Amino acid sequence: MSGQRASGADGTTTNADRRAVIAKRVDAGTADLTEIEQLSSAAGYAIVGQLTQTRKEDAAYLFGEGKIDELADLVARTDATHVVVDNDMGPYQTFNVGQKLPEGVEIVDRFTLILEIFAERAQTRKAQLQVELAELRYELPRAETKASLAKRDERPGFMGLGEYDESVERDIKRRISDIRDELSSIAKKERARREERRASGFDLLALAGYTNAGKSTLMRRLATELDVDENADRHPDLGTTAESQDKLFTTLGTTTRRAELDRRDVLLTDTVGFISDLPHWLVESFESTLDSVYRADLVLLVVDASEPVREMREKLVTCHDTLHERNQAPILTVFNKVDRLEEGELAEKQSALSTLAPNPIAVSATDGTGIEALRERVESELPDWERERLVLPMTDETMSVVSWVHDHGYVETESYAGDQVTLEFEAKPAIISRARSKAAELAPLDA
Ligand SMILES: Nc1nc2c(ncn2[C@@H]2O[C@H](COP(=O)(O)OP(=O)(O)OP(=O)(O)O)[C@@H](O)[C@H]2O)c(=O)[nH]1
Ligand SMILES: [Mg+2]
């Protein structure tokens, strides 16, 4: 099932033959097609037509039935192969609208589109499992609908399909439970690795934010080394020479790199962006990826500050909603892309958004503005370290303890007097207790 819908994956679909009409219904106001167009292009569709309607939801067709006739006309005129609907469409509505469209035209909703993008970009086992899980969870209620539609359908060709679909349903459920098991064992390993990293003195910092906010660009700006995970997802967008793309969902899995701050050693993790109107099951399917955010010591919530306040607000709300459930880390809001702002615009936006984004830090990931200030803010926002003073006897092992303390904490003074070394340093409490026991194990040379 995984990859079935991926564009080009099986060689049968290419950009040229994925021609989409975009449709959207809103209860009130005017439908905004910007994001669904971006998603469609990211998924490899050529957009050949648009249709919007302001009207309350129709139970059978989502849009008014007359509008669906108009849609069918438009599809025929533009020779479209797909209809992309930016609404949550129930299985019955999809079925009904499908009956009205020219033969062979597929209906793609917002979630399917996002899943197509993910399926195409998933490169690791984990990402592929997550995509497959999301696809199956999407499929399940639809298989149930098909089963019941088939049962009540009188046409001879459909006879027996009900039974078939019930077995499809069972298979889906079994596969979902297998994937869950495998993902939870991956999550367990990742949790252990995070704890190891903490134990060796790293603070874990995560980038979060709406898709296209500039997280990966900021990652490249802050990171000092290549990936720390040998088995990390391959991310073309994170290569040191790679360009970020002005495209939704460039990043899918997670990548972790080291970032050098003044005092602290930090591991910075970049991950998938958030987007509005995702059903909870889709977010849940990516749980173990989002864990790198939820379990960080500090989350940098990146916001594209070049957008109008209304959009910034909506996207901030989406981010906070996504984080709200399980995030345990403190959040520092980063207003990115300030190079695009006019004089005075930043201050206006900050005050307009002060409730959602208190005391944000302003940066430009592309030209480097504010990056030093960001590093300082990160250090001050990270959980406090404790101070310690250790007097070490001079032995064969002493210098290795001294360098261990340098590696795991911040050494303020290191002084040598007689056959003793005195270290004054700051570190996490767990590091301090390990340093103490290492010091206790040092036997003086003349003992
Ligand atoms: N002008 C300007 N553009 C930026 C800045 N930071 C990022 N961009 C652009 O914004 C676009 C998205 O950047 P990414 O770093 O890929 O964004 P992301 O948040 O990682 O996006 P996803 O991985 O798709 O969720 C790219 O075209 C970047 O070049 C900035 O500070 N200023
Ligand atoms: Mg990215």
Side-chain angles (χ1 to χ4, degrees), residues 210-217 244-251 273 336-337 339-340 364-366:
Y210 212 81
T211 179
N212 216 41
K215 300 177 293 298
S216 301
T217 312
S244 270
Q245 295 181 47
D246 194 7
K247 210 169 158 185
L248 304 188
F249 295 117
T250 311
T251 311
N336 188 33
K337 311 196 187 180
D339 55 289
R340 289 209 189 147
S364 164
T366 47

PDB file of all heavy atoms in Angstrom, residues 210-217 244-251 273 336-337 339-340 364-366, ligand 1:
ATOM      1  N   TYR A 210       5.487  25.756  11.524  1.00  0.00           N
ATOM      2  CA  TYR A 210       4.708  25.489  10.332  1.00  0.00           C
ATOM      3  C   TYR A 210       5.632  25.158   9.163  1.00  0.00           C
ATOM      4  O   TYR A 210       6.770  25.600   9.125  1.00  0.00           O
ATOM      5  CB  TYR A 210       3.888  26.742   9.987  1.00  0.00           C
ATOM      6  CG  TYR A 210       2.569  26.430   9.334  1.00  0.00           C
ATOM      7  CD1 TYR A 210       1.472  26.060  10.093  1.00  0.00           C
ATOM      8  CD2 TYR A 210       2.425  26.508   7.947  1.00  0.00           C
ATOM      9  CE1 TYR A 210       0.252  25.771   9.492  1.00  0.00           C
ATOM     10  CE2 TYR A 210       1.210  26.227   7.345  1.00  0.00           C
ATOM     11  CZ  TYR A 210       0.125  25.856   8.123  1.00  0.00           C
ATOM     12  OH  TYR A 210      -1.070  25.571   7.530  1.00  0.00           O
ATOM     13  N   THR A 211       5.133  24.354   8.235  1.00  0.00           N
ATOM     14  CA  THR A 211       5.954  24.016   7.080  1.00  0.00           C
ATOM     15  C   THR A 211       6.343  25.287   6.312  1.00  0.00           C
ATOM     16  O   THR A 211       5.549  26.223   6.211  1.00  0.00           O
ATOM     17  CB  THR A 211       5.244  22.986   6.156  1.00  0.00           C
ATOM     18  OG1 THR A 211       6.083  22.729   5.037  1.00  0.00           O
ATOM     19  CG2 THR A 211       3.883  23.461   5.674  1.00  0.00           C
ATOM     20  N   ASN A 212       7.584  25.324   5.855  1.00  0.00           N
ATOM     21  CA  ASN A 212       8.136  26.454   5.096  1.00  0.00           C
ATOM     22  C   ASN A 212       8.497  27.689   5.937  1.00  0.00           C
ATOM     23  O   ASN A 212       8.776  28.744   5.389  1.00  0.00           O
ATOM     24  CB  ASN A 212       7.179  26.862   3.957  1.00  0.00           C
ATOM     25  CG  ASN A 212       7.922  27.304   2.713  1.00  0.00           C
ATOM     26  OD1 ASN A 212       8.933  26.689   2.345  1.00  0.00           O
ATOM     27  ND2 ASN A 212       7.458  28.349   2.075  1.00  0.00           N
ATOM     28  N   ALA A 213       8.511  27.536   7.267  1.00  0.00           N
ATOM     29  CA  ALA A 213       8.834  28.669   8.137  1.00  0.00           C
ATOM     30  C   ALA A 213      10.325  29.012   8.099  1.00  0.00           C
ATOM     31  O   ALA A 213      10.725  30.121   8.436  1.00  0.00           O
ATOM     32  CB  ALA A 213       8.409  28.365   9.572  1.00  0.00           C
ATOM     33  N   GLY A 214      11.148  28.024   7.684  1.00  0.00           N
ATOM     34  CA  GLY A 214      12.585  28.267   7.634  1.00  0.00           C
ATOM     35  C   GLY A 214      13.372  27.463   8.655  1.00  0.00           C
ATOM     36  O   GLY A 214      14.513  27.807   8.983  1.00  0.00           O
ATOM     37  N   LYS A 215      12.804  26.367   9.143  1.00  0.00           N
ATOM     38  CA  LYS A 215      13.463  25.557  10.170  1.00  0.00           C
ATOM     39  C   LYS A 215      14.792  24.976   9.671  1.00  0.00           C
ATOM     40  O   LYS A 215      15.808  25.059  10.356  1.00  0.00           O
ATOM     41  CB  LYS A 215      12.547  24.391  10.604  1.00  0.00           C
ATOM     42  CG  LYS A 215      11.228  24.846  11.178  1.00  0.00           C
ATOM     43  CD  LYS A 215      10.322  23.679  11.522  1.00  0.00           C
ATOM     44  CE  LYS A 215       9.826  22.900  10.305  1.00  0.00           C
ATOM     45  NZ  LYS A 215       9.006  23.686   9.368  1.00  0.00           N
ATOM     46  N   SER A 216      14.764  24.386   8.484  1.00  0.00           N
ATOM     47  CA  SER A 216      15.982  23.747   7.978  1.00  0.00           C
ATOM     48  C   SER A 216      17.061  24.769   7.652  1.00  0.00           C
ATOM     49  O   SER A 216      18.247  24.515   7.839  1.00  0.00           O
ATOM     50  CB  SER A 216      15.660  22.899   6.740  1.00  0.00           C
ATOM     51  OG  SER A 216      14.698  21.918   7.065  1.00  0.00           O
ATOM     52  N   THR A 217      16.638  25.930   7.177  1.00  0.00           N
ATOM     53  CA  THR A 217      17.604  26.994   6.895  1.00  0.00           C
ATOM     54  C   THR A 217      18.269  27.442   8.204  1.00  0.00           C
ATOM     55  O   THR A 217      19.480  27.637   8.273  1.00  0.00           O
ATOM     56  CB  THR A 217      16.900  28.188   6.209  1.00  0.00           C
ATOM     57  OG1 THR A 217      16.095  27.691   5.134  1.00  0.00           O
ATOM     58  CG2 THR A 217      17.899  29.180   5.670  1.00  0.00           C
ATOM     59  N   SER A 244      17.493  25.606   0.463  1.00  0.00           N
ATOM     60  CA  SER A 244      16.150  25.291   0.935  1.00  0.00           C
ATOM     61  C   SER A 244      15.193  25.555  -0.202  1.00  0.00           C
ATOM     62  O   SER A 244      15.431  26.408  -1.035  1.00  0.00           O
ATOM     63  CB  SER A 244      15.777  26.188   2.100  1.00  0.00           C
ATOM     64  OG  SER A 244      16.152  25.589   3.293  1.00  0.00           O
ATOM     65  N   GLN A 245      14.128  24.812  -0.225  1.00  0.00           N
ATOM     66  CA  GLN A 245      13.182  25.055  -1.293  1.00  0.00           C
ATOM     67  C   GLN A 245      11.971  25.781  -0.759  1.00  0.00           C
ATOM     68  O   GLN A 245      11.540  25.556   0.354  1.00  0.00           O
ATOM     69  CB  GLN A 245      12.737  23.722  -1.887  1.00  0.00           C
ATOM     70  CG  GLN A 245      13.861  22.992  -2.553  1.00  0.00           C
ATOM     71  CD  GLN A 245      13.363  21.689  -3.142  1.00  0.00           C
ATOM     72  OE1 GLN A 245      12.343  21.656  -3.812  1.00  0.00           O
ATOM     73  NE2 GLN A 245      14.083  20.629  -2.873  1.00  0.00           N
ATOM     74  N   ASP A 246      11.429  26.645  -1.600  1.00  0.00           N
ATOM     75  CA  ASP A 246      10.238  27.360  -1.204  1.00  0.00           C
ATOM     76  C   ASP A 246       9.053  26.462  -1.523  1.00  0.00           C
ATOM     77  O   ASP A 246       8.297  26.684  -2.449  1.00  0.00           O
ATOM     78  CB  ASP A 246      10.146  28.683  -1.961  1.00  0.00           C
ATOM     79  CG  ASP A 246       9.121  29.604  -1.327  1.00  0.00           C
ATOM     80  OD1 ASP A 246       8.601  29.256  -0.248  1.00  0.00           O
ATOM     81  OD2 ASP A 246       8.844  30.655  -1.906  1.00  0.00           O
ATOM     82  N   LYS A 247       8.911  25.430  -0.740  1.00  0.00           N
ATOM     83  CA  LYS A 247       8.017  24.349  -1.055  1.00  0.00           C
ATOM     84  C   LYS A 247       7.546  23.766   0.272  1.00  0.00           C
ATOM     85  O   LYS A 247       8.310  23.735   1.233  1.00  0.00           O
ATOM     86  CB  LYS A 247       8.852  23.293  -1.798  1.00  0.00           C
ATOM     87  CG  LYS A 247       8.119  22.463  -2.805  1.00  0.00           C
ATOM     88  CD  LYS A 247       9.158  21.693  -3.597  1.00  0.00           C
ATOM     89  CE  LYS A 247       8.545  20.482  -4.222  1.00  0.00           C
ATOM     90  NZ  LYS A 247       9.537  19.655  -4.898  1.00  0.00           N
ATOM     91  N   LEU A 248       6.317  23.295   0.327  1.00  0.00           N
ATOM     92  CA  LEU A 248       5.840  22.734   1.590  1.00  0.00           C
ATOM     93  C   LEU A 248       6.426  21.345   1.822  1.00  0.00           C
ATOM     94  O   LEU A 248       6.639  20.599   0.881  1.00  0.00           O
ATOM     95  CB  LEU A 248       4.316  22.668   1.592  1.00  0.00           C
ATOM     96  CG  LEU A 248       3.600  23.991   1.338  1.00  0.00           C
ATOM     97  CD1 LEU A 248       2.103  23.849   1.552  1.00  0.00           C
ATOM     98  CD2 LEU A 248       4.141  25.108   2.205  1.00  0.00           C
ATOM     99  N   PHE A 249       6.657  21.038   3.057  1.00  0.00           N
ATOM    100  CA  PHE A 249       7.143  19.721   3.466  1.00  0.00           C
ATOM    101  C   PHE A 249       8.423  19.284   2.774  1.00  0.00           C
ATOM    102  O   PHE A 249       8.501  18.194   2.226  1.00  0.00           O
ATOM    103  CB  PHE A 249       6.062  18.647   3.294  1.00  0.00           C
ATOM    104  CG  PHE A 249       4.891  18.856   4.176  1.00  0.00           C
ATOM    105  CD1 PHE A 249       3.644  19.090   3.640  1.00  0.00           C
ATOM    106  CD2 PHE A 249       5.038  18.846   5.553  1.00  0.00           C
ATOM    107  CE1 PHE A 249       2.547  19.297   4.468  1.00  0.00           C
ATOM    108  CE2 PHE A 249       3.947  19.060   6.379  1.00  0.00           C
ATOM    109  CZ  PHE A 249       2.698  19.282   5.833  1.00  0.00           C
ATOM    110  N   THR A 250       9.421  20.151   2.789  1.00  0.00           N
ATOM    111  CA  THR A 250      10.711  19.764   2.242  1.00  0.00           C
ATOM    112  C   THR A 250      11.342  18.721   3.160  1.00  0.00           C
ATOM    113  O   THR A 250      11.962  17.774   2.714  1.00  0.00           O
ATOM    114  CB  THR A 250      11.639  20.997   2.143  1.00  0.00           C
ATOM    115  OG1 THR A 250      10.914  22.035   1.506  1.00  0.00           O
ATOM    116  CG2 THR A 250      12.881  20.675   1.352  1.00  0.00           C
ATOM    117  N   THR A 251      11.174  18.916   4.463  1.00  0.00           N
ATOM    118  CA  THR A 251      11.747  17.994   5.432  1.00  0.00           C
ATOM    119  C   THR A 251      10.672  17.024   5.895  1.00  0.00           C
ATOM    120  O   THR A 251       9.552  17.430   6.175  1.00  0.00           O
ATOM    121  CB  THR A 251      12.253  18.768   6.668  1.00  0.00           C
ATOM    122  OG1 THR A 251      13.050  19.851   6.217  1.00  0.00           O
ATOM    123  CG2 THR A 251      13.070  17.856   7.575  1.00  0.00           C
ATOM    124  N   GLY A 273       7.423  19.786   9.298  1.00  0.00           N
ATOM    125  CA  GLY A 273       6.668  20.979   9.660  1.00  0.00           C
ATOM    126  C   GLY A 273       5.218  20.665   9.978  1.00  0.00           C
ATOM    127  O   GLY A 273       4.706  19.603   9.629  1.00  0.00           O
ATOM    128  N   ASN A 336      11.298  34.456  12.125  1.00  0.00           N
ATOM    129  CA  ASN A 336      12.316  34.323  11.066  1.00  0.00           C
ATOM    130  C   ASN A 336      11.955  35.184   9.852  1.00  0.00           C
ATOM    131  O   ASN A 336      10.840  35.669   9.744  1.00  0.00           O
ATOM    132  CB  ASN A 336      12.420  32.832  10.683  1.00  0.00           C
ATOM    133  CG  ASN A 336      13.566  32.558   9.735  1.00  0.00           C
ATOM    134  OD1 ASN A 336      14.615  33.216   9.804  1.00  0.00           O
ATOM    135  ND2 ASN A 336      13.391  31.596   8.843  1.00  0.00           N
ATOM    136  N   LYS A 337      12.914  35.308   8.954  1.00  0.00           N
ATOM    137  CA  LYS A 337      12.767  36.053   7.687  1.00  0.00           C
ATOM    138  C   LYS A 337      12.589  37.556   7.921  1.00  0.00           C
ATOM    139  O   LYS A 337      11.883  38.227   7.156  1.00  0.00           O
ATOM    140  CB  LYS A 337      11.605  35.497   6.832  1.00  0.00           C
ATOM    141  CG  LYS A 337      11.630  33.964   6.660  1.00  0.00           C
ATOM    142  CD  LYS A 337      10.737  33.474   5.533  1.00  0.00           C
ATOM    143  CE  LYS A 337      10.661  31.946   5.525  1.00  0.00           C
ATOM    144  NZ  LYS A 337       9.823  31.386   4.459  1.00  0.00           N
ATOM    145  N   ASP A 339      14.593  39.764   7.367  1.00  0.00           N
ATOM    146  CA  ASP A 339      15.199  40.511   6.252  1.00  0.00           C
ATOM    147  C   ASP A 339      14.138  41.015   5.281  1.00  0.00           C
ATOM    148  O   ASP A 339      14.368  41.922   4.498  1.00  0.00           O
ATOM    149  CB  ASP A 339      16.217  39.626   5.520  1.00  0.00           C
ATOM    150  CG  ASP A 339      15.626  38.299   5.049  1.00  0.00           C
ATOM    151  OD1 ASP A 339      15.350  37.427   5.906  1.00  0.00           O
ATOM    152  OD2 ASP A 339      15.416  38.135   3.848  1.00  0.00           O
ATOM    153  N   ARG A 340      12.951  40.412   5.328  1.00  0.00           N
ATOM    154  CA  ARG A 340      11.891  40.810   4.403  1.00  0.00           C
ATOM    155  C   ARG A 340      10.971  41.887   4.968  1.00  0.00           C
ATOM    156  O   ARG A 340      10.003  42.278   4.326  1.00  0.00           O
ATOM    157  CB  ARG A 340      11.010  39.598   4.082  1.00  0.00           C
ATOM    158  CG  ARG A 340      11.661  38.572   3.219  1.00  0.00           C
ATOM    159  CD  ARG A 340      10.569  37.882   2.435  1.00  0.00           C
ATOM    160  NE  ARG A 340      11.055  36.734   1.722  1.00  0.00           N
ATOM    161  CZ  ARG A 340      10.333  35.644   1.504  1.00  0.00           C
ATOM    162  NH1 ARG A 340       9.098  35.573   1.959  1.00  0.00           N
ATOM    163  NH2 ARG A 340      10.823  34.643   0.824  1.00  0.00           N
ATOM    164  N   SER A 364      17.124  36.392  10.892  1.00  0.00           N
ATOM    165  CA  SER A 364      17.021  36.000   9.494  1.00  0.00           C
ATOM    166  C   SER A 364      17.979  34.833   9.314  1.00  0.00           C
ATOM    167  O   SER A 364      19.191  34.986   9.449  1.00  0.00           O
ATOM    168  CB  SER A 364      17.419  37.156   8.570  1.00  0.00           C
ATOM    169  OG  SER A 364      17.661  36.633   7.284  1.00  0.00           O
ATOM    170  N   ALA A 365      17.420  33.675   9.024  1.00  0.00           N
ATOM    171  CA  ALA A 365      18.261  32.487   8.852  1.00  0.00           C
ATOM    172  C   ALA A 365      19.105  32.621   7.597  1.00  0.00           C
ATOM    173  O   ALA A 365      20.193  32.063   7.519  1.00  0.00           O
ATOM    174  CB  ALA A 365      17.394  31.236   8.782  1.00  0.00           C
ATOM    175  N   THR A 366      18.629  33.400   6.615  1.00  0.00           N
ATOM    176  CA  THR A 366      19.412  33.509   5.383  1.00  0.00           C
ATOM    177  C   THR A 366      20.539  34.535   5.483  1.00  0.00           C
ATOM    178  O   THR A 366      21.635  34.265   5.026  1.00  0.00           O
ATOM    179  CB  THR A 366      18.527  33.835   4.147  1.00  0.00           C
ATOM    180  OG1 THR A 366      17.637  34.896   4.493  1.00  0.00           O
ATOM    181  CG2 THR A 366      17.732  32.630   3.700  1.00  0.00           C
TER     182      THR A 366
HETATM  183  N1  LIG B   1      13.999  35.804   2.963  1.00  0.00           N
HETATM  184  C1  LIG B   1      14.196  34.752   3.751  1.00  0.00           C
HETATM  185  N2  LIG B   1      13.872  33.519   3.317  1.00  0.00           N
HETATM  186  C2  LIG B   1      14.085  32.462   4.146  1.00  0.00           C
HETATM  187  C3  LIG B   1      14.644  32.627   5.447  1.00  0.00           C
HETATM  188  N3  LIG B   1      14.725  31.405   6.035  1.00  0.00           N
HETATM  189  C4  LIG B   1      14.233  30.517   5.128  1.00  0.00           C
HETATM  190  N4  LIG B   1      13.855  31.148   3.994  1.00  0.00           N
HETATM  191  C5  LIG B   1      13.262  30.527   2.792  1.00  0.00           C
HETATM  192  O1  LIG B   1      12.036  29.903   3.143  1.00  0.00           O
HETATM  193  C6  LIG B   1      11.843  28.702   2.399  1.00  0.00           C
HETATM  194  C7  LIG B   1      11.621  27.525   3.325  1.00  0.00           C
HETATM  195  O2  LIG B   1      12.781  27.275   4.083  1.00  0.00           O
HETATM  196  P1  LIG B   1      13.056  25.877   4.806  1.00  0.00           P
HETATM  197  O3  LIG B   1      14.242  26.083   5.682  1.00  0.00           O
HETATM  198  O4  LIG B   1      13.067  24.778   3.843  1.00  0.00           O
HETATM  199  O5  LIG B   1      11.738  25.780   5.678  1.00  0.00           O
HETATM  200  P2  LIG B   1      11.264  24.576   6.611  1.00  0.00           P
HETATM  201  O6  LIG B   1      10.594  25.186   7.776  1.00  0.00           O
HETATM  202  O7  LIG B   1      12.413  23.657   6.897  1.00  0.00           O
HETATM  203  O8  LIG B   1      10.200  23.896   5.653  1.00  0.00           O
HETATM  204  P3  LIG B   1       9.681  22.357   5.615  1.00  0.00           P
HETATM  205  O9  LIG B   1      10.843  21.448   5.783  1.00  0.00           O
HETATM  206  O10 LIG B   1       9.069  22.291   4.270  1.00  0.00           O
HETATM  207  O11 LIG B   1       8.676  22.242   6.712  1.00  0.00           O
HETATM  208  C8  LIG B   1      13.088  28.563   1.522  1.00  0.00           C
HETATM  209  O12 LIG B   1      12.810  29.091   0.262  1.00  0.00           O
HETATM  210  C9  LIG B   1      14.134  29.404   2.257  1.00  0.00           C
HETATM  211  O13 LIG B   1      15.132  29.882   1.412  1.00  0.00           O
HETATM  212  C10 LIG B   1      14.993  33.965   5.869  1.00  0.00           C
HETATM  213  O14 LIG B   1      15.484  34.218   6.977  1.00  0.00           O
HETATM  214  N5  LIG B   1      14.744  34.959   4.982  1.00  0.00           N
END
